[in-house]
Amino acid sequence: MERDYKTGAKALAAAGLILVTIIWGGSFVVMKSSVDKVPPGYLLALRFTAAAAAMMAAFPKSLRRLKKESLQNGILVGIVLELSYLLQTYGIKYTTASKNAFITALYVILVPFLSWAVNGRKPGINNLFAAVLAVAGLGLLTLRGVTAVNFGDFLTFLCSISFTFHLVLAERYTKNQDPILLAIIQVAVVAVLNWILAPFLDGFQAFSFEILRDKALVSGILYLAIFCTMAAYAIQMAGQKILSANASSLLLSLEAVFGTIFSVIFLKEVLTGKMIVGCVLMFFALMISGIRFETHGKDVHG
């Protein structure tokens, strides 16, 4: 009976993380139009401020469970998440979008090793093979030709390391703490840090609240805040309370697959044979890893 419950919880958590990748995959279209009107730092500040306010209103019971330990952990995870966004955003200024997407997703292969070092969870052979297969699939899916390594690639690789730490820390802290509370704190931390950093990174005169009269822009920001931030991070943290960082990283890497699908549908990009093979490899990687999807407790076998 307990085994059936754990298997059901694992399946629900996996479905939740896949939903997150669908949401994030669709966000590329919205981000493309929004960032043309608002500088990246201010856009992130608006997005995460709205998300934090919505989460506090939606989950008041979680806020009442706030303790020193959860506050400290949430702040740390929030700082790591903010660093990830900054490195990714400024990395893409100096490299191509395809290389930025590919290098960022290298967390798939980094997570098993960092999780082993931090959480003592030794990766199985299937985890390592699935990670390599996923990287190959991501390469076929995202890369548009190989060029020399540049400064943007270096920043993006640091972003990948930062996202790796975020996934592993989330696994560690959600074991015994309210995942929704941790999500609220980290989102609020990212909002505060962006308001502090945006004037220095984007310029003090680069943003005016007058621009919020643009209804299309406000709609886009609300979509990013409610769906891509509030819902996505609440689901991710809740899912990582059940699934390991290894399994979570593979599931979240499907963002590249759904991003490609939405780009083809809404931005009229051409789906090549190479990209189709990449998608197939990604799903094979997920299936191989699914032979043994670990939870925080004992390993759960399908």
Side-chain angles (χ1 to χ4, degrees):
M1 187 71 176
E2 183 181 356
R3 179 186 176 87
D4 290 341
Y5 171 77
K6 287 183 177 180
T7 302
K10 177 192 69 172
L12 185 61
L17 290 184
I18 292 174
L19 176 60
V20 169
T21 68
I22 295 173
I23 294 171
W24 282 344
S27 72
F28 287 113
V29 177
V30 180
M31 283 291 289
K32 185 174 178 65
S33 60
S34 298
V35 80
D36 290 337
K37 300 177 182 179
V38 183
Y42 288 104
L43 179 60
L44 288 173
L46 290 168
R47 168 183 171 176
F48 279 85
T49 297
M55 293 179 83
M56 290 177 188
F59 306 109
K61 291 183 179 179
S62 289
L63 286 175
R64 288 196 285 269
R65 290 193 283 270
L66 181 64
K67 295 180 180 179
K68 182 179 179 180
E69 182 182 15
S70 57
L71 180 62
Q72 290 175 335
N73 294 342
I75 289 174
L76 177 58
V77 175
I79 291 173
V80 173
L81 184 62
E82 167 65 6
L83 180 61
S84 303
Y85 272 100
L86 284 177
L87 289 168
Q88 185 181 48
T89 301
Y90 288 94
I92 202 172
K93 289 180 66 175
Y94 304 102
T95 190
T96 64
S98 62
K99 288 173 71 178
N100 183 264
F102 173 72
I103 296 171
T104 297
L106 289 179
Y107 63 71
V108 172
I109 206 166
L110 297 175
V111 163
F113 298 101
L114 185 62
S115 183
W116 186 7
V118 174
N119 298 326
R121 185 181 298 281
K122 185 177 180 179
I125 296 298
N126 67 301
N127 294 126
L128 300 179
F129 183 63
V132 171
L133 200 61
V135 169
L138 285 163
L140 291 171
L141 192 59
T142 60
L143 292 181
R144 306 287 187 272
V146 180
T147 58
V149 175
N150 57 38
F151 182 60
D153 298 333
F154 174 69
L155 290 179
T156 307
F157 182 65
L158 293 180
C159 158
S160 180
I161 294 174
S162 187
F163 271 125
T164 301
F165 272 97
H166 181 263
L167 283 164
V168 172
L169 289 175
E171 176 188 17
R172 184 180 185 87
Y173 294 148
T174 54
K175 282 183 179 179
N176 302 310
Q177 296 178 46
D178 181 353
I180 301 300
L181 177 59
L182 289 173
I184 294 172
I185 297 170
Q186 75 166 353
V187 167
V189 167
V190 174
V192 171
L193 289 176
N194 273 296
W195 283 118
I196 294 172
L197 295 173
F200 298 98
L201 296 174
D202 295 324
F204 285 84
Q205 306 299 323
F207 172 76
S208 170
F209 282 99
E210 291 293 318
I211 200 170
L212 295 182
R213 292 181 178 179
D214 185 330
K215 293 181 180 179
L217 175 64
V218 171
S219 297
I221 291 172
L222 288 177
Y223 172 81
L224 292 171
I226 302 302
F227 294 99
C228 303
T229 308
M230 173 184 168
Y233 282 109
I235 294 170
Q236 181 194 340
M237 298 299 278
Q240 285 204 250
K241 192 175 181 69
I242 298 170
L243 294 176
S244 71
N246 295 341
S248 299
S249 67
L250 276 165
L251 287 163
L252 292 174
S253 70
L254 291 177
E255 176 187 356
V257 174
F258 290 110
T260 298
I261 292 171
F262 286 122
S263 294
V264 170
I265 295 172
F266 295 106
L267 301 180
K268 308 303 180 184
E269 291 191 5
V270 178
L271 185 63
T272 65
K274 187 181 76 169
M275 293 165 70
I276 293 172
V277 173
C279 289
V280 171
L281 288 179
M282 292 285 293
F283 282 111
F284 267 122
L286 196 60
M287 290 170 63
I288 291 169
S289 178
I291 295 170
R292 191 177 182 181
F293 256 8
E294 310 97 333
T295 63
H296 286 319
K298 295 181 179 179
D299 290 348
V300 177
H301 301 265

